[in-house]
Amino acid sequence: MDGIKYAVFTEKSIRLLGNNQYTSNVESGSTRTEIKHWVELFFGVKVIAMNSHRLPGKGRRRRMGPIMGHTMHYRHRRMIITLQPGYSIPPLIEKRT
């Protein structure tokens, strides 16, 4: 449970929900097998595929001589989890006060 940070809701991730694919940010040190095992155990679903990528660093506002600077990569990866047809993960609703 420590590996998955939070679900991601962007235009692309909402579009992928139609293909039974869910997007979330995970710790960069977590492996695919750990995340797959945790999702299958916690949600009771069957994972058939997982894709991941590291998010790029942000550009800096000020220049460092002739070169524009940039920050380091984020400390997490974005994971796209594809579930077997017939399975789904309930939406994560955050209560706002």
Side-chain angles (χ1 to χ4, degrees):
M1 184 171 167
D2 296 333
I4 295 181
K5 290 292 201 181
Y6 50 86
V8 176
F9 297 104
T10 61
E11 291 180 21
K12 181 179 179 180
S13 67
I14 292 171
R15 188 176 65 240
L16 290 175
L17 287 174
N19 297 335
N20 213 16
Q21 294 179 325
Y22 296 85
T23 307
S24 63
N25 285 347
V26 299
E27 285 286 337
S28 61
S30 302
T31 64
R32 289 176 184 234
T33 55
E34 290 174 350
I35 300 298
K36 179 181 178 180
H37 176 69
W38 185 85
V39 169
E40 290 180 343
L41 186 67
F42 187 76
F43 292 110
V45 296
K46 181 68 177 163
V47 177
I48 58 173
M50 297 182 74
N51 297 323
S52 67
H53 65 277
R54 284 180 38 171
L55 300 173
K58 295 180 179 178
R60 294 186 78 140
R61 290 184 179 218
R62 88 179 92 120
R63 298 176 73 91
M64 305 295 279
I67 300 171
M68 191 70 157
H70 67 283
T71 59
M72 295 182 65
H73 290 284
Y74 290 110
R75 291 194 168 116
H76 50 262
R77 294 185 300 171
R78 186 155 292 165
M79 188 77 69
I80 300 173
I81 302 166
T82 306
L83 302 181
Q84 198 172 39
Y87 289 97
S88 66
I89 295 176
L92 303 173
I93 300 172
E94 182 179 313
K95 184 177 180 180
R96 296 185 183 192
T97 57

